[in-house]
Each structure stands twice: as structure tokens, then as C-alpha cells.
Amino acid sequence: MSENLNKENTNNPIEEVSSKEVKKDFQGLLGSVKQFLSELLDIRQNTDLEATKEAIIADIPFKGHTSWILICSIFIASIGLNANSTAVVIGAMLISPLMGPILGMGMSLAINDIDTLRRSLKNLAVMVVLSVLTAYLFFAIFPLQEESSELLARTKPDIRDVLIAFFGGLALVIARAKKGTIASVIFGVAIATALMPPLCTVGFGIAIGNFEYAGKALLLFGINTIFIALATFLVLKILRFPMVRYANSKRRRLIARLVSLTALAVMLPAGWIFWGVYQEFKFKSDANKFVLENVTPYKFTKDGRFLKDLSVLSYNRDTISSIELIFMGNEGVPDGVVATWKSNMKNYDYLNKSELKIIQGSKSNESNQLKYVEELYTSQKNELLGKDEKIRFLESELERLNKLNAKQIPFQEISAEAETNYENLEYLAFSNAIRTDFKKLDTVSVFEAKWKRSAKRVEILKESKKLHNWLKVRLKDSTILLTEIIQD
């Protein structure tokens, strides 16, 4: 009887109807979500293919008014970079006509238009040469040639520049394709992708003879150009822009091959650049994590200091990358701790083959420390421009070491003169001591005088006072301390 009940339960028509309704409702929900997303993200319906193509082609030519607008925008950008004015640089980017030929390149590759591709490449080359020449003349003639932070920011392309160029290009071509072009998007992309400042920096680098600056800035411009063109190519392919038709089938095949080769020639450097900047990004990410987890927590017992802001992370794609850590003060990092750090580097994926360099100022005297910090300041001033905190730190470090350097004692000369002038003096010792009034630390010079046992107490007190005054005058330091050892 129980078996019959079970069979009746499993074959309950009400439950079957209920499950079918749930399944039907779920499918309906998925269909509604799919339709909503399709309506939200679909850009084909509101795209004017012919108007978009005509607008892009119209922006490719470079002559007359366009050339003068470019020259003026280059001058404005150069002045803004030289004056370290972000607002002026943004203004120059808004009026720059550099974007036209780049969009033309991407479109011509997408629709197999060899003639438009040729015009785009020619106009882009003319624009680049004119821009660099204008910037070069400005910086060569203009008397102020300071390496501002705005200029130097264009000499270090990284993965963020790749992403900005690609997504900026996507936004730009989508805005261009929309019926009733969104002008604000075009202006925003002009600012975000920043095509103009790198070319100005190329001219600046050539003007001052620093071809490393010029090369890195040109690389940044190349990244922006390639990835904007790539984004244009992809969007127009998705929108299914019609391919250019050729009457001669043989010519059509030849042009298709030429365009495909050109597209491949653009894609390969794009992939190579992206992989390189990605590897550098991962290396620096792991290096910063390593420093934060291993080096920063280390506590000095005396006055040692880890100069984190001046540590150098050097990525090298072809050889060995390195992490250079800089320490100053009178206390060094023990060799055992350094060995542990080197061992821990193996726990980070992108630091396995990297080298750890430790620079310790404690292993040299104050004069050498001062020299090193000055050299460091000179070599890294380009990194430090615009970074006020680092500059203040370096200045305080230089001031501290200058004070220590000023207190350098010519002890050999002092001891020889003291031996001649004070016949009861058995020996003279010297050391630097750190003194505090619980508000600040100060370094003072301390001399220790040991007097002969045969000397009388009255003579020792007199000569000790005389010796102390002589040391202050001789070394031009009123803070000098003198301690006495009198033998019984």
C-alpha cells in the first residue's frame, strides 16, 4: 500500500505543472535580461555608416588651416610643458588635429581601403615631423629649458598608457559612429590619450641633446597611435562597415593581402609593446610588494635609515632586472638579514631572476655619505621633479650630512699640536656623540684628555680649561665637549 502512495506522489500532476511553470518563468527572465542587455549595449542600430566614413576621411588631410592649428597647438603645449602647467597642456590637446590620420589608418585597415591607408600614413608622418620640428625650435630658442614634471611624465610609458590609448580609441570611434556625434567624448579622448605632449617632449629631448628622453617619448606616441588605430579597426569590424569593392578581382586580392600585412605589421608591435609593459608592471608590482613585506618592517637599533623613496626598481627586458635599496646613517644592515631578503625574493614570481643591491652609507664616513647623496640627488632629480616630499627629504638629508661634514675633525693635526702645547697631556681621544634635549637630536664632538700622573691638580685644571678653549677656537665649534681622566 505504501508503494502505491509513493507512486502517486511521484506522478503528481500538480508538481509537474509547477516545475514547468518555474522553468518557463526562468527562461522568460533570461530572455528579458538578454533583450535588455542587447538594447543597452547594441550600437549598430544608431550607427550611420556612410556619415562616419565621410567624417573620418574628411579629417585625414593635413594642409592649410589644419597645419596652422597644429603649429599653434604645439607651441601652446610646449609652453605648458615648460611652465609645468597642466591646464595649458590640456588646452593644447583640445585643439590638436592629430587624431584624424590615426582614425583613418584604423578605418582603412578595417574596410580594405589602400588609398585611404596611404593618405593616412602620409599625413600622419607629415604631422609628426612638423610637430617635432616646431617643438625643437621652441625649446632650442627659448631660454628656459627646465625639465618639468609634465615633460618627464611623457618619458616613462607603462601599461596604463596602453590601456588609456586602447579604451580612449574605443570611446572615440564609437562616438564618431553615432548619429549626431558626441563632441564631448571626442574632446575627452583628446585629453586622455595625450598625443601632443609626447611629440613636444621628443622635440625637447632633441633640443637639449638627451636622445633617451626623445626615444621614450616617441615610444609613448607610438603606443597611443597603434592602440587607437587598433581600437578603431576592431569597432568598425564589429559594426560591419562595408568593404571597399574593386572591379578587378586580381587587384582586390592584392590589396587585401597588402592591407592584411599592414594590419599584421601594426598588431605585432602592439602585442610586443603590451607584453613588455605588462612584464615591467608585474616586476615593479612584485618588487614593491617585496620591499613592503620584507624591508620596510626591519627596525634599526640606532640611527640607521631606509630611504624607500630613493630606492630604484630597474626592469630590464633583455638582461637581469634589479632592486637597489639605499640605507643611510651610522648603522648598517647585517649580512644575515640581507641574505634572508635575497632568499625571500624567490617567493615572488617576477623576482626569481632579479638582483638585490644594497647601498649602505654606514660603511663610509660622513664625507663619503655626503658625496653619495649629492650624486644620488643629481642622478635622480628627474625622478624627483614634482615630488615635493622626496625633494624635502633629500634636502634634509643633505643638510644633516653637511652638518656632519662640517664637524669633520683633522684629528692627526689637532693631536700633534696639543702634544706640543701641553706637556702634561698623556693622550687625547676623539669621538662623535649624539645628544638630545628630548626635542631634537644633535651631534657633538667629544674629546677625552688623559693627564700625566706626575702633574699637579692645579696645573691640570688650568691646562684643561685652556685646552678646551683652544679646541673651540681651533675647530670653530663652541659645542665641543672635553672630558678629563686624571690618574691618582
Side-chain angles (χ1 to χ4, degrees):
M1 185 173 180
S2 61
E3 291 178 1
N4 291 333
L5 287 172
N6 290 334
K7 288 180 180 178
E8 288 178 5
N9 289 335
T10 54
N11 296 323
N12 191 335
I14 296 176
E15 289 186 0
E16 288 182 5
V17 171
S18 177
S19 64
K20 287 180 179 178
E21 287 179 352
V22 170
K23 186 176 181 181
K24 185 178 179 181
D25 290 343
F26 181 70
Q27 289 175 342
L29 177 63
L30 287 179
S32 299
V33 171
K34 184 178 179 181
Q35 183 178 358
F36 171 75
L37 292 176
S38 176
E39 291 176 356
L40 179 68
L41 301 176
D42 184 27
I43 59 175
R44 291 176 183 169
Q45 293 183 1
N46 201 27
T47 298
D48 189 338
L49 302 182
E50 286 301 319
T52 302
K53 182 178 175 181
E54 289 174 5
I56 292 175
I57 291 175
D59 285 342
I60 293 174
F62 180 69
K63 57 185 177 180
H65 296 80
T66 312
S67 59
W68 280 107
I69 292 171
L70 178 65
I71 292 171
C72 291
S73 64
I74 281 287
F75 270 116
I76 294 171
S78 298
I79 295 168
L81 291 170
N82 186 263
N84 212 29
S85 173
T86 304
V88 175
V89 175
I90 289 174
M93 288 188 283
L94 286 173
I95 63 175
S96 167
L98 278 170
M99 202 70 75
I102 299 173
L103 291 181
M105 285 171 53
M107 186 192 73
S108 59
L109 292 174
I111 65 175
N112 247 22
D113 189 345
I114 193 69
D115 294 326
T116 302
L117 177 62
R118 190 185 299 115
R119 286 201 307 274
S120 299
L121 290 172
K122 183 185 76 172
N123 283 284
L124 180 64
V126 173
M127 281 187 173
V128 170
V129 171
L130 184 62
S131 299
V132 172
L133 180 61
T134 304
Y136 166 77
L137 291 174
F138 171 81
F139 286 110
I141 297 171
F142 197 68
L144 300 177
Q145 295 183 352
E146 295 182 359
E147 298 171 356
S148 66
S149 58
E150 283 287 338
L151 273 168
L152 297 171
R154 272 76 192 185
T155 63
K156 291 194 171 218
D158 61 25
I159 193 169
R160 289 166 293 189
D161 296 300
V162 172
L163 297 176
I164 289 169
F166 181 72
F167 287 104
L170 286 179
L172 177 61
V173 72
I174 290 170
R176 276 287 191 189
K178 184 180 181 297
K179 291 179 180 177
T181 301
I182 309 172
S184 61
V185 175
I186 296 173
F187 294 148
V189 171
I191 295 170
T193 52
L195 290 167
M196 183 68 66
L199 292 178
C200 292
T201 307
V202 173
F204 172 75
I206 296 172
I208 66 171
N210 191 328
F211 295 100
E212 183 181 0
Y213 280 1
K216 289 181 178 179
L218 193 59
L219 173 62
L220 176 56
F221 177 79
I223 288 173
N224 289 338
T225 300
I226 288 173
F227 282 91
I228 291 171
L230 176 62
T232 305
F233 172 84
L234 293 175
V235 170
L236 297 189
K237 280 292 186 185
I238 292 170
L239 292 176
R240 297 175 184 171
F241 268 55
M243 306 290 281
V244 173
R245 298 181 180 276
Y246 294 93
N248 188 324
S249 60
K250 187 176 180 181
R251 175 175 168 77
R252 177 179 57 80
R253 286 194 298 271
L254 175 62
I255 290 174
R257 290 193 187 102
L258 288 174
V259 171
S260 299
L261 287 173
T262 305
L264 184 63
V266 170
M267 289 290 290
L268 286 178
W272 178 252
I273 289 170
F274 181 83
W275 180 247
V277 294
Y278 176 77
Q279 291 289 101
E280 182 175 4
F281 169 78
K282 294 298 291 183
F283 164 76
K284 290 187 175 180
S285 177
D286 274 5
N288 283 317
K289 188 177 179 183
F290 163 76
V291 171
L292 183 66
E293 294 177 350
N294 295 270
V295 183
T296 304
Y298 179 76
K299 301 295 183 184
F300 289 95
T301 57
K302 296 180 183 178
D303 66 336
R305 304 176 71 183
F306 170 45
L307 310 188
K308 182 181 177 181
D309 288 338
L310 298 182
S311 296
V312 181
L313 309 178
S314 299
Y315 173 76
N316 196 310
R317 191 169 185 168
D318 301 318
T319 57
I320 298 175
S321 301
S322 66
I323 301 174
E324 185 178 281
L325 306 178
I326 301 170
F327 298 85
M328 283 289 172
N330 296 320
E331 180 185 0
V333 181
D335 292 339
V337 174
V338 175
T340 302
W341 290 345
K342 290 181 178 179
S343 176
N344 290 346
M345 286 177 66
K346 297 176 182 177
N347 298 328
Y348 299 84
D349 294 337
Y350 288 83
L351 303 182
N352 281 326
K353 298 180 181 179
S354 300
E355 181 182 6
L356 181 64
K357 299 178 181 178
I358 304 293
I359 307 297
Q360 300 196 61
S362 58
K363 294 186 176 180
S364 60
N365 58 35
E366 287 82 357
S367 179
N368 287 335
Q369 285 190 46
L370 174 62
K371 182 180 178 182
Y372 179 77
V373 173
E374 286 177 337
E375 290 176 353
L376 190 65
Y377 183 87
T378 302
S379 65
Q380 295 205 25
K381 67 179 179 180
N382 298 333
E383 304 283 340
L384 297 168
L385 284 172
K387 302 177 182 178
D388 295 337
E389 184 179 347
K390 292 184 182 181
I391 292 176
R392 283 195 298 270
F393 175 78
L394 264 181
E395 287 174 345
S396 66
E397 191 69 14
L398 281 170
E399 184 179 356
R400 181 182 74 85
L401 290 173
N402 271 319
K403 287 180 179 178
L404 288 174
N405 192 49
K407 288 179 176 290
Q408 288 296 298
I409 304 297
F411 185 68
Q412 191 171 358
E413 297 176 12
I414 293 294
S415 58
E417 293 175 20
E419 183 183 16
T420 303
N421 296 329
Y422 303 94
E423 57 183 19
N424 290 322
L425 189 63
E426 186 167 319
Y427 75 70
L428 187 67
F430 160 76
S431 64
N432 276 324
I434 297 176
R435 181 176 62 182
T436 181
D437 57 1
F438 305 108
K439 295 179 181 178
K440 63 178 181 178
L441 291 174
D442 196 12
T443 304
V444 294
S445 301
V446 180
F447 283 86
E448 181 183 273
K450 182 177 181 180
W451 302 93
K452 293 178 181 178
R453 186 176 297 177
S454 58
K456 295 179 180 180
R457 177 68 177 173
V458 177
E459 292 178 353
I460 290 174
L461 291 174
K462 185 179 178 181
E463 290 201 357
S464 179
K465 185 177 180 180
K466 185 179 177 182
L467 173 61
H468 193 192
N469 291 332
W470 174 74
L471 287 172
K472 289 180 181 179
V473 174
R474 173 68 172 78
L475 298 174
K476 299 177 182 179
D477 186 357
S478 61
T479 65
I480 285 176
L481 300 179
L482 177 67
T483 60
E484 302 172 10
I485 297 179
I486 302 175
Q487 301 186 44
D488 297 330

